[in-house]
C-alpha cells in the first residue's frame, strides 16, 4: 500500500485504523510491525482515533517514548467512539498510568457503542491488579457481546481458577479450546485445573484414549505428549513425541515440542543431533538451523556455530531477531560482550517487540557495569512482560518496594503461572526480603522456589559421590610417580577452584585487574577433556583412563586446553579459569600443567550452602542440580571436603588455599600473598577490581561491582533454624557409596531424584 495523506474521517484512515486494531488484538506482532513500517506518516495524522491505536502499537513494539509523545498531545474529548477510548485506556495502562487508565476504560464501557473489547480491556486491567471479582464481571459483559472470543473465555477461566472455582474454570477452558484448539496457555491451564481437582492423571488417560481411537491423527500424539509433559512425566513425553516425529516427519510442531523438552532439560546434545539431521533435509534455512546453532552455543561448540551463522548471512534467516540474538550469545561466550551489545542494540532497534533481545541486552549491560543503561531497557520491558519486575529488582541489587514484593508473592503463589515463572519470582522475592531486612519471611518463598525448580531436574547426589570415589581410587601416589612432570610446562593458566559461591568470581576479578592477567570466566575445557578420554585412551572413561594414559596423551590434553584458551585471548601473559567444579579435577590439572597455579577457595560451609540455596542457577541440569535441596548441598560439601583433603595429601604445598573471610577482612595483605604465589608483581589496580571493565557472567554479577564487602560473611546465622537438613548430612560426613549402602543410616532410604525410585 502506498503512503497516503491521512486526513480525518477518510475511508483510508478508517480501514487502516481497523487493520492496526485487528493486528494488535490478534497478537500478530509481525503484522503490527509491517503496518507501522509501511506507513511512516502515521504519527502525523490528524485523526486522534488512529493515533490512539498507533500509540498502543508503539507500546507493543517497545517504542514507549514515541507512544508517550503521541498520547501527550491527545485530547480525550476528541476521541469519537468507545473503541478509540478503549485504545487510549489500554496505552495508558501499558505506560503505567493506571489511575487514568481505569477512568478512561470505565468511560469507554459506559458509552452506548461500547464493544466487547472495551469490557475485555477493563477486565484485563482489573485482573492485573488482582481485583478478580471486577475482572470477572467485565469479562462476562464482553462475552455477552461476543461469545466466540476464545481468549476472553480463557481469561474468565483464569479468574475462576484464581478464585478457587476449579470446576467452573475447567468448563470455561474446555469451551475456549473448542473455539480455538491452538491456545497453548489455555491447554496448560486446563491441565493445571485438573491437577488442582486431584485429577492430574485424568488428562493423560483422556489423551491416551483419544489416541487409541485415532492413531493416525498426529494431533492426538501431540496432545498425549503435552499431557504427559504437564504431568511431569518427562521421559514418557519425550518417547511419545519422538515416536510421533518418526511417524509424521512433516509435522514441525511435533519436532519443535520434542526439541523444547531437550532444551528445558539441558540435553543439548540430543537436540543438536536431531536438528542437524532435520536441517540437512531442508531446501532452505529455517527454524531448524536457528535451534541447531542455539544447541551448539549452549554446548560450547562455538566454532561450529560461528561457521554456520556466517553461512546463513544473506538468507531469510538473517532477517529474524533470533539470528542476531544467537550472534550475541556466541560473542558473550567468547567474552566479547562489548561487541555483543552493539549487535543487540541494533536488534532491539530493528525488532523492538522482541523480549529476548531486550532482556539479553539488559543483562549484558549489567555484566559490564553499565547499570543505568541496563535499567532503561528493563524499564521498557516491564510494561509488556509481567516478570520484568524480577529483572528490575535484580538490576537494583534486590532493592524493592512493598508493592513489588506483593507482586512477586502473587506470582509465586498463583498456579496460573508456570513452575519456572513462579520459581524465578520466589528467588527474587527472597532476595528482596533479605535486602529489606525482613529476615523472618525470607525462607518461606526460598524453599518454595527451590522445590519448584527441583521438580524439573533429574539430580541424584550419588552420581557425584560415585565420581569422587572413583577419582580418589585412581589418583594414587603410584600414578603420580608415573606421570608427574610429563605435562606441558606452561605458566599461563591460573585455575581458581572451590565450591560455587565460595568467592571464585571475586578472586578472578581481583586477578584480572592486574595488567598481565586476562579473566576468562568459567571455562568448560577441563570437563571436555575428561569426556573425550574414551575416544583417545583405549575406550576408557575418566578417571579409569588415567591408568592407561601415557606422556603423549597427557601432553595432547594440555595442548588441547592451551589452544582453546588461545582462541579466547592471545595477548595476556596469564589467564584465569575460574570454573569452580574444577576442584574435582585438580589431579588432572596438576599433571597436565606442572607449573600452573592452582588456587582453592575456602569459605565457611554453611555460608556456602545458604548462598547456593539462594541462587537460581542456570546450569540446573548439570552439577549445579545439587543447589536446590539442603540435603543435596550437604552431600556436595562432604564430597568437596573429602576430595580436597585427597589433593592436598597427594600434592603437598601445590594448592594455594585462599580463605574468603581473610580476603574480605584483610584484602591488601591477602591479595599481596596471592599475587606473590602467582608470580605477579604488585599493582595498585588489583584493589580497585570493581572498576575493571570486563563482563561478569556468573551469579556474582552484582557483588563484584561493589568492591570488598563483609555483609555475606556468617549470613547463615540469620537462617540457622532452617538448616537442620543440611546439618544432619554434614554431621554424617563423607562415606563411600559402599559404606553408605551397608550402614544402617538413613542414606539408604533417600529418594533418587524426581523418579521416586528408592535405592
Amino acid at each position: 500500500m502506498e503512503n497516503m495523506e491521512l486526513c480525518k474521517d477518510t475511508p483510508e484512515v478508517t480501514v487502516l485504523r481497523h487493520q492496526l486494531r485487528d493486528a494488535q488484538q490478534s497478537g500478530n506482532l509481525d503484522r503490527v510491525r509491517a503496518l507501522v513500517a509501511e506507513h511512516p506518516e502515521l504519527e502525523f495524522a490528524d485523526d486522534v482515533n488512529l493515533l490512539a491505536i498507533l500509540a498502543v502499537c508503539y507500546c507493543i513494539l517497545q517504542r514507549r517514548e514515541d507512544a508517550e509523545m503521541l498520547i501527550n498531545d491527545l485530547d480525550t474529548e476528541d476521541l469519537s467512539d468507545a473503541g478509540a477510548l478503549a485504545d487510549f485506556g489500554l496505552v495508558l495502562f501499558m505506560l503505567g498510568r493506571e489511575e487514568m487508565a481505569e477512568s478512561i476504560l470505565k468511560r469507554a464501557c459506559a458509552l452506548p457503542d461500547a464493544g466487547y473489547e472495551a469490557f475485555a480491556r477493563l477486565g484485563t486491567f482489573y485482573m492485573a491488579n488482582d481485583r478478580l471479582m471486577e475482572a470477572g464481571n467485565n469479562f462476562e459483559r464482553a462475552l455477552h457481546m461476543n461469545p466466540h472470543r476464545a481468549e476472553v473465555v480463557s481469561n474468565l477461566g483464569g479468574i475462576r481458577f484464581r478464585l478457587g472455582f476449579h470446576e467452573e474454570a475447567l468448563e470455561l477452558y474446555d469451551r475456549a479450546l473448542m473455539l480455538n484448539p491452538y491456545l497453548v496457555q489455555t491447554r496448560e491451564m486446563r491441565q493445571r485445573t485438573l491437577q488442582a481437582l486431584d485429577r492430574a492423571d485424568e488428562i493423560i488417560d483422556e489423551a491416551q484414549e483419544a489416541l487409541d481411537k485415532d492413531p493416525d491423527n498426529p494431533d492426538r500424539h501431540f496432545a498425549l505428549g503435552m499431557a504427559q509433559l504437564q504431568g511431569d512425566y518427562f521421559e514418557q513425553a519425550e518417547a511419545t513425541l519422538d515416536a510421533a516425529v518418526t511417524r509424521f516427519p512433516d509435522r514441525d510442531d511435533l519436532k519443535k515440542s520434542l526439541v523444547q523438552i531437550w532444551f528445558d532439560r539441558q540435553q543439548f546434545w540430543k537436540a543438536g543431533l536431531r536438528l542437524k539431521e532435520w536441517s540437512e533435509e531442508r531446501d532452505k534455512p529455517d527454524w531448524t538451523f536457528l535451534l541447531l546453532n542455539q544447541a551448539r552455543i549452549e554446548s560450547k561448540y562455538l566454532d561450529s556455530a560461528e561457521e554456520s551463522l556466517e553461512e546463513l548471512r544473506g538468507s531469510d534467516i538473517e532477517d529474524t531477531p533470533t539470528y542476531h540474538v544467537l550472534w550475541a550469545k556466541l560473542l558473550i561466550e567468547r567474552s566479547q560482550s562489548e561487541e555483543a551489545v552493539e549487535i543487540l542494540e541494533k536488534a532491539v532497534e530493528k525488532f523492538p517487540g522482541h523480549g529476548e533481545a531486550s532482556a539479553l541486552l539488559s543483562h549484558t549491560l549489567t555484566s559490564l557495569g553499565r547499570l543505568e543503561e541496563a535499567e532503561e531497557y528493563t524499564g521498557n520491558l516491564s510494561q509488556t512482560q509481567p516478570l520484568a519486575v524480577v529483572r528490575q529488582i535484580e538490576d537494583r541489587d534486590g532493592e524493592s518496594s512493598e508493592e513489588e514484593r506483593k507482586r512477586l508473592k502473587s506470582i509465586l503463589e498463583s498456579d496460573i503461572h508456570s513452575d519456572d515463572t513462579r520459581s524465578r519470582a520466589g528467588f527474587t522475592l527472597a532476595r528482596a526480603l533479605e535486602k529489606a531486612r525482613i529476615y523472618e519471611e525470607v525462607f518461606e518463598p526460598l524453599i518454595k522456589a527451590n522445590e519448584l525448580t527441583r521438580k524439573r531436574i533429574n539430580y541424584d547426589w550419588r552420581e557425584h559421590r560415585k565420581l569422587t570415589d572413583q577419582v580418589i581410587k585412581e589418583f594414587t601416589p603410584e600414578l603420580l610417580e608415573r606421570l608427574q612432570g610429563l605435562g606441558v610446562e606452561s605458566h599461563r593458566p591460573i585455575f581458581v577452584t572451590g565450591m560455587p559461591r565460595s568467592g571464585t568470581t571475586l578472586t578472578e576479578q581481583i586477578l584480572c585487574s592486574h595488567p598481565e592477567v586476562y579473566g576468562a570466566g568459567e571455562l568448560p575445557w577441563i570437563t571436555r577433556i575428561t569426556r573425550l578420554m574414551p575416544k583417545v585412551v583405549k575406550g576408557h572413561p575418566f578417571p579409569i583412563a588415567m591408568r592407561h594414559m601415557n606422556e603423549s596423551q597427557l601432553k595432547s590434553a594440555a595442548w588441547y586446553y592451551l589452544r582453546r584458551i588461545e582462541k579466547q585471548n592471545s595477548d595476556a601473559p596469564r589467564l584465569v579459569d575460574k570454573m569452580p567444579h574444577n576442584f574435582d579435577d585438580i589431579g588432572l590439572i596438576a599433571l597436565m600443567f606442572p607449573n600452573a597455579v592452582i588456587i582453592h577457595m575456602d569459605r565457611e560451609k554453611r555460608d556456602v550452602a545458604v548462598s547456593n540455596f539462594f541462587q537460581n542457577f542456570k546450569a540446573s541440569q548439570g552439577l549445579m542440580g545439587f543447589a536446590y535441596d539442603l540435603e543435596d548441598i550437604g552431600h556436595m560439601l562432604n564430597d568437596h571436603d573429602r576430595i580436597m583433603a585427597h589433593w592436598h595429601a597427594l600434592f603437598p604445598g601445590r594448592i594455594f588455599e585462599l580463605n574468603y573471610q581473610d580476603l574480605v577482612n584483610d584484602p591488601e595483605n591477602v591479595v599481596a600473598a596471592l599475587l606473590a604465589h602467582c608470580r605477579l608483581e604488585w599493582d595498585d589496580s588489583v584493589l580497585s577490581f570493581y572498576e575493571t571493565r570486563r563482563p561478569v557472567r556468573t551469579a556474582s554479577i552484582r557483588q563484584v561491582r561493589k568492591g570488598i564487602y563483609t555483609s555475606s560473611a556468617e549470613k547463615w546465622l540469620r537462617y540457622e533454624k532452617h538448616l537442620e537438613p543440611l546439618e544432619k548430612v554434614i554431621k554424617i560426613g563423607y562415606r563411600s557409596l559402599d559404606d553408605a549402602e551397608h550402614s544402617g543410616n538413613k542414606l539408604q532410604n533417600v529418594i533418587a531424584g524426581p523418579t521416586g525410585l528408592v535405592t
Side-chain angles (χ1 to χ4, degrees), residues 405 428-439 441-442 445:
R405 294 194 292 273
T428 304
L429 176 58
R431 177 76 181 95
L433 288 166
E434 184 183 57
K435 191 75 172 183
R437 300 187 177 183
I438 311 174
Y439 300 128
E441 297 182 17
V442 167

Side-chain angles (χ1 to χ4, degrees), residues 219-231:
D219 292 335
R220 301 301 187 197
H221 294 262
F222 180 81
L224 176 58
M226 292 299 98
Q228 291 166 331
L229 189 60
Q230 184 62 39

Side-chain angles (χ1 to χ4, degrees), residues 102 119-141 152-166 168-169 172-173 189 407 410-411 413-417:
E102 181 181 5
F119 291 97
R121 287 172 175 175
L122 184 56
T124 301
F125 172 87
Y126 287 136
M127 190 174 184
N129 286 280
D130 290 325
R131 295 162 64 176
L132 301 183
M133 295 301 294
E134 294 165 285
N137 291 336
N138 279 279
F139 286 140
E140 286 178 347
R141 290 285 302 275
V152 181
V153 177
S154 181
N155 282 344
L156 185 57
I159 295 294
R160 296 290 184 264
F161 183 92
R162 290 169 71 176
L163 290 172
F165 303 126
H166 295 137
E168 293 182 35
L172 287 162
Y173 287 137
M189 282 307 303
R407 173 65 179 145
S410 174
I411 295 172
E413 294 178 349
S414 174
D415 287 340
I416 200 169
H417 297 294

Side-chain angles (χ1 to χ4, degrees), residues 130-288:
D130 290 325
R131 295 162 64 176
L132 301 183
M133 295 301 294
E134 294 165 285
N137 291 336
N138 279 279
F139 286 140
E140 286 178 347
R141 290 285 302 275
L143 288 173
H144 179 73
M145 296 179 173
N146 187 347
H148 302 297
R149 294 296 299 192
E151 296 83 358
V152 181
V153 177
S154 181
N155 282 344
L156 185 57
I159 295 294
R160 296 290 184 264
F161 183 92
R162 290 169 71 176
L163 290 172
F165 303 126
H166 295 137
E167 292 285 0
E168 293 182 35
L170 183 61
E171 291 178 8
L172 287 162
Y173 287 137
D174 284 338
R175 177 179 158 194
L177 289 169
M178 286 181 65
L179 292 168
N180 183 354
Y182 299 104
L183 293 176
V184 176
Q185 187 175 9
T186 304
R187 193 171 295 281
E188 291 177 354
M189 282 307 303
R190 181 182 185 275
Q191 294 161 358
R192 289 180 182 275
T193 306
L194 286 169
Q195 288 179 319
L197 290 166
D198 199 21
R199 293 156 60 184
D201 291 334
E202 183 176 323
I203 189 168
I204 298 177
D205 294 338
E206 289 178 359
Q208 184 66 64
E209 183 179 348
L211 175 59
D212 292 342
K213 292 178 179 178
D214 190 10
D216 295 326
N217 186 342
D219 292 335
R220 301 301 187 197
H221 294 262
F222 180 81
L224 176 58
M226 292 299 98
Q228 291 166 331
L229 189 60
Q230 184 62 39
D232 292 338
Y233 297 107
F234 300 109
E235 289 80 8
Q236 291 92 326
E238 178 183 347
T240 296
L241 291 170
D242 202 0
V245 165
T246 302
R247 188 168 182 175
F248 308 102
D250 295 330
R251 285 291 295 258
D252 279 0
D253 58 338
L254 296 171
K255 293 177 179 178
K256 289 177 181 177
S257 299
L258 180 59
V259 169
Q260 192 60 54
I261 291 175
W262 289 327
F263 274 22
D264 288 344
R265 295 173 68 75
Q266 308 255 321
Q267 296 173 329
F268 299 109
W269 64 274
K270 279 188 179 180
L273 288 173
R274 196 63 66 85
L275 285 162
K276 189 172 189 301
E277 174 187 324
W278 296 336
S279 65
E280 290 172 350
E281 297 170 352
R282 305 291 166 134
D283 294 330
K284 62 179 183 178
D286 62 358
W287 64 271
T288 59

